[in-house]
Amino acid sequence: MDRTNEAHEAEPEVRHTVADGVATVVISHPARRNAMTAAMWRELPALLDGLGRDPAVRVLVLTGDGGTFCAGADITSLSTPAPEESPQDLAVRAEEALAAFPKPSLAAVRGYCVGGGCQLAAACDLRFAEEGASFGITPAKLGIVYPPSSTRRLVSLVGPGTAKYLLFSGELIGTERALRTGLVDEVLPAGELGKRVAEFARVLTARSQLTQAAAKEFATGRTDRDAHWAEQARGSGDTAEGIAAFLERRPPRFTWNV
């Protein structure tokens, strides 16, 4: 059997690797443009929980297998879910787990980023895309009410106008418009996405996790942990280390860990 056939017949999975402080999570379902099956949705929250607790992980990169990020939910696998959980429940649970990941998360997008795939990308802290990628949210094509939490997250990211455009029409937009509206943070020429993501991930792993973790909570609008972060800052030693490293012109050795 040739490699092309092997790829198309591969079992759907969410796989991951950890190297140099970066956890890379890959959505892999090549036969259906990396559409998420019910089993894949269920697997993601537990995987993210484990990676979030792993002190060796400082940054999360979410991407798709091959030339596509994720074409959404695999409708065929979601048509008969378990009685206690709807397809939307599965997707929202995974999305919320990704949004709550305690360390910086970055979606690296090639090709289609549609439906549930766009839902996952929006739940990441940052999104880098390769030129030619397509973004869309398609519940209006299926008569589905998009989840309230997902709608609010989309509005906070791109504003009400673009959110309505995407949700009302189900139409796809390209990287130029995605960049202009804030749906993506950087657009890279073909062949350069992997290099840029690896480079930026290295930057993030060198920075203070204390700064990142506090900023992530503040940016989401959380207001009940101000005292907690002030206490963490006083006791961490990261500030003293950062200033000392700057004055000594050396890389800082931050020690605070999520």
Side-chain angles (χ1 to χ4, degrees), residues 2-215:
D2 63 37
R3 290 178 181 240
T4 301
N5 288 334
E6 286 177 355
H8 283 284
E9 293 180 13
E11 287 295 320
E13 63 177 342
V14 179
R15 62 177 187 267
H16 74 282
T17 57
V18 177
D20 300 323
V22 180
T24 302
V25 175
V26 180
I27 302 167
S28 181
H29 190 183
R32 293 188 177 272
R33 291 179 175 173
N34 296 335
M36 294 284 288
T37 65
M40 292 166 75
W41 286 121
R42 291 189 190 99
E43 181 182 355
L44 194 54
L47 172 61
L48 293 171
D49 182 64
L51 293 174
R53 295 174 185 275
D54 186 348
V57 174
R58 299 176 68 94
V59 176
L60 174 75
V61 174
L62 179 68
T63 193
D65 194 2
T68 293
F69 182 75
C70 174
D74 184 348
I75 302 301
T76 60
S77 77
L78 297 178
S79 58
T80 55
E84 71 278 3
E85 55 188 359
S86 71
Q88 193 172 87
D89 289 339
L90 293 173
V92 168
R93 196 174 301 129
E95 175 196 3
E96 292 299 327
L98 185 54
F101 192 76
K103 302 163 188 180
S105 59
L106 189 157
V109 179
R110 297 179 183 85
Y112 287 102
C113 180
V114 180
C118 200
Q119 196 173 345
L120 291 175
C124 291
D125 296 315
L126 300 166
R127 286 148 296 281
F128 288 8
E130 186 174 83
E131 286 180 349
S134 298
F135 299 82
I137 301 173
T138 55
K141 293 183 177 181
L142 299 170
I144 295 171
V145 174
Y146 202 55
S149 59
S150 307
T151 301
R152 294 184 188 108
R153 181 170 290 113
L154 180 67
V155 170
S156 71
L157 188 61
V158 302
T162 298
K164 290 174 183 177
Y165 178 92
L166 292 168
L167 288 165
F168 289 2
S169 71
E171 293 293 293
L172 304 186
I173 63 172
T175 49
E176 181 180 349
R177 184 167 185 174
L179 181 64
R180 186 173 70 248
T181 58
L183 186 56
V184 300
D185 300 285
E186 290 191 18
V187 174
L188 287 305
E192 295 186 17
L193 179 64
K195 178 182 177 182
R196 174 57 179 150
V197 168
E199 174 188 80
F200 192 74
R202 282 195 297 272
V203 169
L204 295 182
T205 61
R207 303 301 189 238
S208 167
Q209 286 194 71
L210 173 64
T211 302
Q212 293 167 344

